Amino acid sequence: MKTSLKSIAALSVLAGAALAASAQTVTLKVHHFLPAGSAAQKMFIQPWCDKIALESGDKMKCQIYPSMQLGGTPPQLFDQVKDGVVDVTWVLPGYMAGRFPLSEVFELPFMMQSPEGTSKALWDFVQTHPNVAAEFKDVKLLALHVHGDGVFHMTKQPIKTMADLKGLKVRAPTRQTNKLLAALGATPVAMPVPAVSEALAKSVIDGALVPYEVVPSVKIQELVKFHSETDPTEPAIYTSTFMFAMNKAKYESLPPDLKKVIDNNSGLALSGQIGKTFLAADGIGKKLTEKNTHNVIPAAELQSWKKAGEQVSADWVAAVTAKGANGQALLENARALIAKYAVK
């Protein structure tokens, strides 16, 4: 009898401990490279965190660390989430040149047609190609997305023709975009977004190729005078791919109900929603540049730019094919998915 009572008491203690553990709030450390006031945090990361808190009954929350507050540099964010230094991160694969070569197809020139549709296409593309998915095998992918049309933000002169780029030092984020700039006659300068302000202020660069969404984060409107967009009827001159990812072990450690919350807030729909959000953020950023000079590079002028871009794409096809992938098939499938999900 005494033994039975002791056993029951022990089981009660264990059950109570388990209940207490399950009642504890899971706090996810979310690390990214832009300021807290950026569109990325205010319009996407914070709302996502609010949603998982609501749907989990406050059993799962976020602690967001913007502006690399936990240390390191933007290119190190992927390894931080992979290694469990942080639980969730948002970063550009393109900041880690050569590490995600197959998914770079979405960063080739004149690919993106709409941020929402192309973000869905990117998610679909990665899920349906095992060799591409393998590039992200070390993390739990929550979403993949792109941003809106790239814009030239220049300090001394607008960009109206390809000849205007000759010799100018222009920032771009990824190696494929830098190859395009070189093909157009510019001198490409690779750097993460947080470095753009100082580079413009110190005349290290003559301008930056970024979407309007970035303007508030780095105060571009105060550092340049000219903003040159490409004809909106043409595909974007470039876009960048982004990943929103979670540490795999952290995800696996969650109880089933919290895993379900994460699963319900991941995937194709989230990817498209983030792309749509970034398009809306472009409007906010552009409004800040109203006092500056704007121009649109016409479709007729862009035809020669597109020919230069075709060589960049051909070089990518050759490079990944040499490593064992079917580059041409991947390029054609990416274009087909972009067309499939295009928002009219």
Side-chain angles (χ1 to χ4, degrees):
M1 184 65 173
K2 288 182 179 179
T3 302
S4 297
L5 288 173
K6 286 181 180 179
S7 297
I8 292 170
L11 287 171
S12 297
V13 170
L14 289 172
L19 185 62
S22 66
Q24 289 178 352
T25 299
V26 174
T27 300
L28 301 176
K29 291 187 293 183
V30 182
H31 200 202
H32 70 93
F33 59 93
L34 287 182
S38 64
Q41 178 160 326
K42 291 195 301 181
M43 298 175 69
F44 145 51
I45 298 173
Q46 187 64 60
W48 182 85
C49 288
D50 293 343
K51 197 162 184 283
I52 65 166
L54 178 65
E55 294 182 11
S56 69
D58 283 334
K59 289 194 289 184
M60 184 163 55
K61 297 181 178 181
C62 297
Q63 177 63 54
I64 303 175
Y65 297 90
S67 300
M68 302 304 300
Q69 286 180 356
L70 295 178
T73 62
Q76 294 172 332
L77 281 167
F78 180 78
D79 283 328
Q80 288 184 1
V81 77
K82 175 178 74 73
D83 297 336
V85 176
V86 302
D87 300 314
V88 177
T89 196
W90 172 73
V91 68
L92 287 77
Y95 281 175
M96 295 151 277
R99 195 164 177 178
F100 303 87
L102 301 182
S103 53
E104 273 186 329
V105 63
F106 278 75
E107 296 180 338
L108 293 174
F110 298 100
M111 290 283 286
M112 197 271 288
Q113 295 182 18
S114 69
E116 180 181 358
T118 301
S119 295
K120 289 181 178 180
L122 174 58
W123 178 269
D124 194 340
F125 180 80
V126 171
Q127 304 310 308
T128 54
H129 292 281
N131 55 343
V132 184
E135 294 183 344
F136 304 93
K137 64 180 174 57
D138 293 326
V139 297
K140 164 72 174 173
L141 278 180
L142 304 176
L144 293 161
H145 73 94
V146 301
H147 60 58
D149 289 29
V151 178
F152 289 98
H153 307 271
M154 309 302 295
T155 57
K156 298 176 183 176
Q157 65 184 66
I159 303 301
K160 296 181 178 179
T161 68
M162 192 190 302
D164 293 331
L165 284 167
K166 187 172 178 60
L168 293 183
K169 293 174 289 183
V170 182
R171 176 271 177 189
T174 67
R175 63 177 186 169
Q176 298 304 328
T177 310
N178 279 300
K179 288 176 182 178
L180 174 63
L181 285 174
L184 296 175
T187 300
V189 182
M191 66 178 68
V193 162
V196 168
S197 293
E198 184 176 2
L200 285 169
K202 293 184 176 181
S203 299
V204 173
I205 54 176
D206 300 301
L209 183 56
V210 295
Y212 278 120
E213 167 266 321
V214 168
V215 167
S217 297
V218 293
K219 295 182 169 53
I220 282 180
Q221 76 277 15
E222 300 173 9
L223 297 166
V224 307
K225 296 179 180 179
F226 305 97
H227 308 274
S228 301
E229 306 169 26
T230 54
D231 190 306
T233 65
E234 294 286 340
I237 184 173
Y238 95 101
T239 192
S240 296
T241 62
F242 295 77
M243 74 172 86
F244 188 46
M246 187 173 185
N247 175 262
K248 291 181 82 169
K250 186 68 175 183
Y251 172 78
E252 292 299 336
S253 73
L254 297 176
D257 61 325
L258 297 189
K259 278 185 182 176
K260 189 173 188 300
V261 171
I262 294 293
D263 293 343
N264 289 345
N265 290 280
S266 305
L268 183 76
L270 178 62
S271 298
Q273 182 58 45
I274 300 171
K276 186 176 182 179
T277 296
F278 272 64
L279 181 60
D282 280 342
I284 296 170
K286 184 173 181 178
K287 190 170 181 60
L288 293 176
T289 68
E290 286 179 343
K291 293 182 180 180
N292 295 338
T293 301
H294 296 76
N295 70 284
V296 176
I297 305 166
E301 166 63 22
L302 290 173
Q303 299 316 302
S304 58
W305 298 41
K306 289 167 80 172
K307 288 182 180 177
E310 287 173 3
Q311 186 57 55
V312 175
S313 297
D315 290 345
W316 176 86
V317 167
V320 299
T321 300
K323 294 180 179 179
N326 187 333
Q328 188 60 38
L330 289 173
L331 176 58
E332 289 173 5
N333 183 242
R335 285 174 172 163
L337 288 171
I338 288 170
K340 172 185 174 180
Y341 288 105
V343 177
K344 305 300 182 185

